[in-house]
Amino acid sequence: MEDANVRDSTGYRSADRRLSTLGRHLGALSPSSAASRLPPMASENPTGTIAPSPTAGFYGGSVFAHVVQAPEDPILGVTVAYNKDPSPVKVNLGVGAYRTEEGKPLVLNVVRRAEQMLVNDPSRVKEYLPITGLAEFNKLSAKLIFGSDSPAIQENRVATVQCLSGTGSLRVGTEFLARHYRERTIYIPQPTWGNHPKVFTLGGLSVKTYRYYDPVTRGLNIQGLLEDLSSAPSGAIVLLHACAHNPTGVDPTLDQWEQIRKLMRSKGLLPFFDSAYQGFASGSLDADAQSVRMFVADGGECLMAQSYAKNMGLYGERVGALSIVCRSADVAVRVESQLKLVIRPMYSNPPIHGASIVAAILKDREAPSFVPSN
């Protein structure tokens, strides 16, 4: 929240001015008229003591006594159980994260160097970022996933906003679609990341599934996938894992991606990519972005949610980006304006530190690759 006590354009502190105005108003009242304007309990309580409130717990317990204990998150709850376990030989099988040989959290060397560089820069300040986030971060994130030579970028057809990691990017994109897209149904692979259905449902979309994993072959059920998407209504949204499908690790081949692309474009299905592991599937940032770039190359529209939690190990910094590829530059400008209206009442604007780390790494051509080495 912005500080209410900063000086305004007239030189007065906002809070001081409001208090001064209130004091003058109350001072102009006679004791009798002032009392008549107070609530009944206050006018009947000349000592000024605060009377018990029905919401203060004095009348038979908490007003929240009916709230039931919620279950732990099935993914993050594993870490909660791990932290409570006193065993000296325990292993955390919850959230995947970089660890040392001793099982301790690991910060990548390239992240350490970038962070130190930022700390040593006296010109850096802690001002609010714009609603859309750090401009340099947005520009570099779009280039990382779409390619620096992407026609969509060169033609200014991409609206990119910094978000709170992958989850925040998905949520902002979902609420934008719920407000401005004609279809309200999103098809997600079966199985998928456990948080996907919750994000989409609470964001205003109806969730359906399409076949993806074949437990018999332990591979992709491409036939079932194509059949289910063929049956989807025209214009439906389709969630696609850009690479390193979570939780199976099974990805389509490039030929299969082309089949998926042709089918989706022929039916007017809207792709919504989730990229949480760029660089992890093949060891190449560009190779892991090929599925996305195929859809962008045909000139069609799509949404792209990015996260730097995994590939840069910036889990707690909550750094991500949402990009929407549009048909034209003027549409992209209008889309960005509406994304700001989604973000402002949600979290106002994103944090600066993690995005600055990412931007420092991506713009430094001499920095070592952050995937997969340390």
Side-chain angles (χ1 to χ4, degrees), residues 329-347:
D330 65 306
V331 171
V333 170
R334 297 199 298 274
V335 165
E336 180 183 292
S337 73
Q338 291 296 331
L339 288 173
K340 289 194 280 189
L341 295 186
V342 173
I343 292 170
R344 176 59 170 160
M346 187 184 293
Y347 56 85

Side-chain angles (χ1 to χ4, degrees), residues 11 46 111 117 120 127 136 145 167 200 203 256 265 318 328-329 337 349 364:
V111 171
M117 181 178 67
N120 293 339
E127 292 292 300
E136 186 175 42
I145 192 66
T167 303
F200 297 132
Q256 290 170 333
R265 292 310 194 197
R318 311 309 294 146
S328 62
S337 73
N349 44 21
D364 187 354

Side-chain angles (χ1 to χ4, degrees), residues 231-242:
S231 300
S234 175
I237 309 157
V238 179
L239 175 72
L240 300 168
H241 295 230

